[in-house]
Amino acid sequence: MSGCIVVRTKIEDTLGLIADREAQLRYQAEVPCVDVSTELFLQWEDWYRPDTEDFQGAFDPEEAATLRMFHQVFAVVRDTMIQGLPPIDQFVTTTAWKRLSGAACSALGLLRRSLQAA
């Protein structure tokens, strides 16, 4: 698999997880030693690398703009939660989570529509 495909797949998977409350709760139940609240942020930061060649090859300019918009929301939520994220079962009840999840859902929808149009 080329680097571009890996990056695109990982970004889509991460957005999918951030958007899906039930997937997050399932993940926590299946892997109790992982702090899923923190993992959501770490996964995004692992894969959102807009200055890399693989990232630039994976997304067209419109898709990259969509991801930048999501990242702006991500950064605001991350910065407001910097004092400490609650466990995932509590985090999913917060306004911050709803904002983050909604932005991920929107970004993922735009990426998928873009793929279907191609």
Side-chain angles (χ1 to χ4, degrees):
M1 220 190 291
S2 82
C4 296
I5 294 170
V6 169
V7 168
R8 185 176 189 99
T9 299
K10 292 295 187 176
I11 288 282
E12 289 177 357
D13 289 349
T14 300
L15 286 171
L17 180 60
I18 292 170
D20 188 340
R21 176 186 186 276
E22 296 307 316
Q24 294 166 28
L25 295 173
R26 245 187 341 270
Y27 184 8
Q28 188 65 72
E30 292 169 3
V31 190
C33 62
V34 171
D35 177 357
V36 174
S37 297
T38 300
E39 186 66 17
L40 299 175
F41 291 88
L42 294 177
Q43 282 187 26
W44 180 254
E45 289 175 341
D46 282 347
W47 293 105
Y48 183 72
R49 306 278 181 198
D51 295 332
T52 65
E53 187 177 322
D54 285 339
F55 184 95
Q56 292 168 5
F59 301 102
D60 67 31
E62 184 178 336
E63 292 171 327
T66 294
L67 295 175
R68 270 192 309 280
M69 289 187 314
F70 170 75
H71 187 74
Q72 290 171 347
V73 172
F74 170 90
V76 167
V77 171
R78 179 196 59 210
D79 293 349
T80 60
M81 303 301 287
I82 199 75
Q83 298 302 324
L85 287 164
I88 195 63
D89 61 327
Q90 294 171 24
F91 184 43
V92 298
T93 66
T94 66
T95 302
W97 179 87
K98 290 173 187 164
R99 184 174 183 198
L100 183 65
S101 177
C105 189
S106 294
L108 191 57
L110 289 169
L111 289 179
R112 289 180 176 160
R113 280 193 293 281
S114 175
L115 258 182
Q116 290 173 349

